Each structure stands twice: as structure tokens, then as C-alpha cells.
Amino acid sequence: MSSRLQVDWTRCDAHGLCARLLPDQVTLDPWGFPVLDGAPLPDARVRDARRAAQACPALALRLSRT
Ligand code: SF4
């Protein structure tokens, strides 16, 4: 089973918090919207990714498991 971050673009307000909490997984585009590589998260980063998803002020960041 692998975990990936996903953004609900209908909710994301470009707060940028996710990039601050997960700088190795998320970068921001010139408008402040997150850029994800879509790759499965390393196991060691899943806990921090879950925290980032919970911290998203717009509830736009989600951790999916496939
Ligand atoms: S923290 Fe949430 S609202 Fe802010 S850029 Fe990331 S996904 Fe979007």
C-alpha cells in the first residue's frame, strides 16, 4: 500500500502552509498553489504528510492510500 498527497483544487486557497510543512514534497507555483510530483510518499514522510493535510486551513489537502 502506498500513500500520495492530493489537492482538491476547488478548495485550495494557496495559503502555502503545505509547502512549509513538507518542503521536500511540495513546492509552490508563482501564484502560491502547491505543486506535487504525484509520487508515492516515502514511508518516513507519511506521518508528516498526514499532519500537513490536517493543518490545511482550507481542508484541501488529502492523503490517499492505494
Ligand atoms: S495548505 Fe491547503 S490551501 Fe494552502 S496551498 Fe496547501 S493545499 Fe492549498
Side-chain angles (χ1 to χ4, degrees):
M1 189 174 292
S2 62
S3 299
R4 296 170 203 264
L5 282 170
Q6 295 179 325
V7 176
D8 179 345
W9 298 111
T10 66
R11 288 179 167 267
C12 179
D13 284 332
H15 292 286
L17 182 60
C18 51
R20 284 200 299 258
L21 295 175
L22 293 170
D24 51 336
Q25 308 295 326
V26 182
T27 57
L28 298 178
D29 73 9
W31 297 273
F33 287 93
V35 178
L36 312 176
D37 65 8
L41 289 165
D43 288 344
R45 300 299 284 141
V46 170
R47 186 191 311 179
D48 286 342
R50 187 175 300 118
R51 286 186 182 144
Q54 290 169 347
C56 172
L59 302 177
L61 193 62
R62 197 176 56 171
L63 192 63
S64 69
R65 298 184 68 105
T66 54

